[in-house]
Amino acid sequence: MLYDLTPAKEITGGPWYTEYEFDHEFIAELRNFILMCVRRMNGGKGVTLKSISDKMIQANVSRVTLSLEEVQQLVQTLAFDYLIEQRGVTESGEALFVAARKVTTMCDFQWWDVLCPDFHFRGIRFEDDVYLSPHEPHHHS
């Protein structure tokens, strides 16, 4: 191999690998930093991938320079873990990411209420104040 060439990511594993081993700690640190950015930057109103990437460069959190695509991969892992979500877009069409709302399935009825013949005609109020009116289906798909 020539000394002035950079090996392909397919061979080295890219920034997610250190000495050919998946670097869990590095990724966890980057994910925590991104989560902190999403929660604190812009007053929680949403941040773009570009602003997250710029903040990562400014804070020097990565020992390698991450492309916007690699930052997007990290953001996607947080979205898949329901820690952040996309909420809207900027005027230029960039996605805005915010901290995910805590979702709860707890509500004010007990399991034995389901046995009542009028159960399907009742409204259900959940802990986060979401209300299902009686005409909405109460089953899960």
Side-chain angles (χ1 to χ4, degrees), residues 67-86:
S67 68
L68 203 54
E69 181 181 290
E70 291 161 343
V71 174
Q72 182 178 13
Q73 290 173 355
L74 290 166
V75 167
Q76 286 174 335
T77 65
L78 291 167
F80 292 147
D81 289 340
Y82 303 107
L83 297 173
I84 64 174
E85 58 189 35
Q86 182 181 338

Side-chain angles (χ1 to χ4, degrees), residues 32-106:
N32 287 334
F33 183 83
I34 291 172
L35 193 54
M36 183 186 69
C37 288
V38 169
R39 289 181 176 155
R40 294 184 181 172
M41 289 174 62
N42 199 19
K45 296 177 184 171
V47 293
T48 63
L49 281 174
K50 179 71 174 135
S51 60
I52 293 170
S53 179
D54 292 345
K55 189 68 172 179
M56 291 175 81
I57 292 168
Q58 178 187 7
N60 199 24
V61 294
S62 175
R63 60 183 174 265
V64 294
T65 304
L66 297 175
S67 68
L68 203 54
E69 181 181 290
E70 291 161 343
V71 174
Q72 182 178 13
Q73 290 173 355
L74 290 166
V75 167
Q76 286 174 335
T77 65
L78 291 167
F80 292 147
D81 289 340
Y82 303 107
L83 297 173
I84 64 174
E85 58 189 35
Q86 182 181 338
R87 183 156 317 141
V89 293
T90 63
E91 295 167 355
S92 60
E94 293 179 274
L96 287 171
F97 296 95
V98 296
R101 283 185 13 189
K102 182 179 177 186
V103 177
T104 178
T105 57
M106 299 301 295

